[in-house]
């Protein structure tokens, strides 16, 4: 169990990454993701909106594209990301293969 720390607006504003946990597992909120020189603007063009269930209400949330997440994790080269990165790369390859297969079928 992780010890809880109190934060104020100043300490939260200084953070480049928030490492959070929920009942579904750990996740990070990165304000300055590695390998993304253009910041939010660079991520926004390929971001996706996903529906998250919060207190029995569906809330739309913008999430970075998987290719951008992979690029950021590869650039950061953090030990904690390496195992996840292998799985994410496999998922990215599967999704790109599926997209190429779908795109090639449109001309039939």
């Amino acid at each position: 169990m992780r010890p809880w720390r109190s934060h104020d607006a100043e300490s939260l504003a200084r953070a480049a990454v928030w490492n959070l946990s929920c009942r579904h597992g750990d996740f990070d909120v990165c304000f300055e993701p590695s390998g993304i020189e253009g910041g939010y603007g660079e991520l926004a063009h390929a971001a996706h909106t996903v529906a998250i269930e919060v207190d029995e209400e569906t809330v739309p949330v913008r999430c970075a594209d998987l290719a951008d997440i992979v690029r950021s994790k590869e650039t950061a080269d953090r030990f904690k990301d390496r195992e996840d990165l292998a799985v994410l790369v496999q998922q990215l390859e599967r999704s790109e293969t599926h997209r190429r297969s779908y795109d090639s079928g449109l001309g039939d």
Side-chain angles (χ1 to χ4, degrees):
M1 181 105 151
R2 295 182 182 158
W4 295 102
R5 250 178 68 190
S6 294
H7 291 280
D8 58 15
E10 184 179 314
S11 68
L12 293 174
R14 282 194 313 263
V17 177
W18 292 350
N19 305 111
L20 305 171
S21 295
C22 70
R23 68 175 181 252
H24 301 290
D26 295 339
F27 65 100
D28 297 337
V29 176
C30 299
F31 298 100
E32 299 171 9
S34 300
I36 310 297
E37 298 300 321
Y40 176 78
E42 184 176 337
L43 293 175
H45 79 278
H48 307 276
T49 300
V50 297
I52 304 292
E53 192 76 24
V54 178
D55 297 328
E56 299 181 24
E57 182 178 335
T58 301
V59 178
V61 176
R62 297 286 289 165
C63 294
D65 186 73
L66 183 55
D68 289 330
I69 294 169
V70 167
R71 178 169 44 123
S72 179
K73 288 184 175 292
E74 286 175 336
T75 302
D77 196 30
R78 295 180 300 196
F79 179 78
K80 74 176 205 164
D81 291 333
R82 289 188 187 132
E83 187 174 317
D84 295 337
L85 187 56
V87 173
L88 293 174
V89 167
Q90 288 176 346
Q91 179 62 37
L92 182 60
E93 289 169 352
R94 280 195 299 270
S95 66
E96 288 176 347
T97 299
H98 175 75
R99 181 188 48 78
R100 283 191 303 270
S101 174
Y102 177 80
D103 288 348
S104 67
L106 291 178
D108 294 341

